[in-house]
Amino acid sequence: MAGAIAALREKGFAGASAREIARHAECNQSLVFYHFGSVVNLLLAALDAISDVRSVRYRDAVEESGSLGELVNAAKSIFDEDLDNGYVAVLAELIAGAQSAPGLGAGVAARIEPWRDFTANVVEDVLAGTPLAVLAPPQEIAHGIVALYLGLEMLAGLDGQRGAALALFLAAILYDAFMAKEGPQAPQPQQSTKENE
């Protein structure tokens, strides 16, 4: 697994051959096919290994957060961790490779689905009892959040600039602080022109 992850980080999908993975793992490349059947299966298994580790981190962060602000702050920390450890690079390379490797796209999509479900549950809990709860179904909001989060991570990983993404996290934290202080304000009816005269 570690050899496959290292190959994806360093060489990208195009360079993550059985030979390159075996070099990182310090083993014979025939073991790739013996244990996994194909390079694609091994790369998907590597993605599974990363997802298992990160899902624990994400769930712990949600459980430890008592407010939207704390949740956003935790997401910011996780965002940095994902970039620092190259987790995003692995997913980005597999998404890119899905265009040319049969079966890879469906495999990656199936592995993103649990993250969308997890996000939908968080969205439903966070928005419960607020005016935003009627904005859209949790699954649709979750789809947008996952797409946004992946896009931010991939762009930050591409150019090494995290400022724009971190600014969004800060804006969400400030919004939560404002709402906690002011509370949701119902729109005030406008006075007619006659009443203003």
Side-chain angles (χ1 to χ4, degrees):
M1 297 290 185
I5 292 171
L8 279 171
R9 287 173 180 165
E10 294 182 16
K11 301 295 184 178
F13 178 80
S17 63
R19 183 188 300 276
E20 184 65 24
I21 292 170
R23 185 181 70 81
H24 281 283
E26 298 181 349
C27 69
N28 190 295
Q29 62 179 314
S30 64
L31 293 177
V32 170
F33 301 98
Y34 178 77
H35 289 289
F36 298 95
S38 69
V39 171
V40 166
N41 288 343
L42 172 54
L43 295 179
L44 288 173
L47 181 58
D48 287 337
I50 290 176
S51 293
D52 288 344
V53 172
R54 298 311 289 160
S55 66
V56 173
R57 176 73 174 93
Y58 277 62
R59 292 180 191 283
D60 287 347
V62 169
E63 291 176 1
E64 293 169 4
S65 299
S67 67
L68 177 59
E70 291 179 359
L71 186 61
V72 173
N73 199 46
K76 174 183 172 296
S77 296
I78 291 174
F79 178 85
D80 279 330
E81 292 172 13
D82 286 346
L83 287 174
D84 290 341
N85 291 284
Y87 299 133
V88 183
V90 171
L91 179 57
E93 290 298 331
L94 291 179
I95 291 175
Q99 304 300 317
S100 58
L104 182 58
V108 173
R111 285 158 174 80
I112 291 177
E113 188 62 31
W115 288 100
R116 191 157 37 227
D117 292 339
F118 167 73
T119 305
N121 290 334
V122 174
V123 167
E124 189 170 15
D125 290 342
V126 169
L127 297 186
T130 73
L132 297 177
V134 298
L135 184 63
Q139 279 286 350
E140 293 182 5
I141 298 175
H143 181 81
I145 291 174
V146 170
L148 174 64
Y149 192 80
L150 287 177
L152 289 173
E153 287 193 329
M154 291 173 71
L155 287 175
L158 184 66
D159 61 15
Q161 302 297 319
R162 306 182 186 184
L166 296 180
L168 286 177
F169 288 116
L170 177 59
I173 293 172
L174 292 175
Y175 172 79
D176 178 65
F178 173 79
M179 293 301 290
K181 179 180 179 181
E182 301 294 333
Q185 301 295 319
Q188 299 297 317
Q190 292 184 345
Q191 292 182 327
S192 66
T193 305
K194 182 177 293 186
E195 290 177 343
N196 289 332
E197 292 176 354

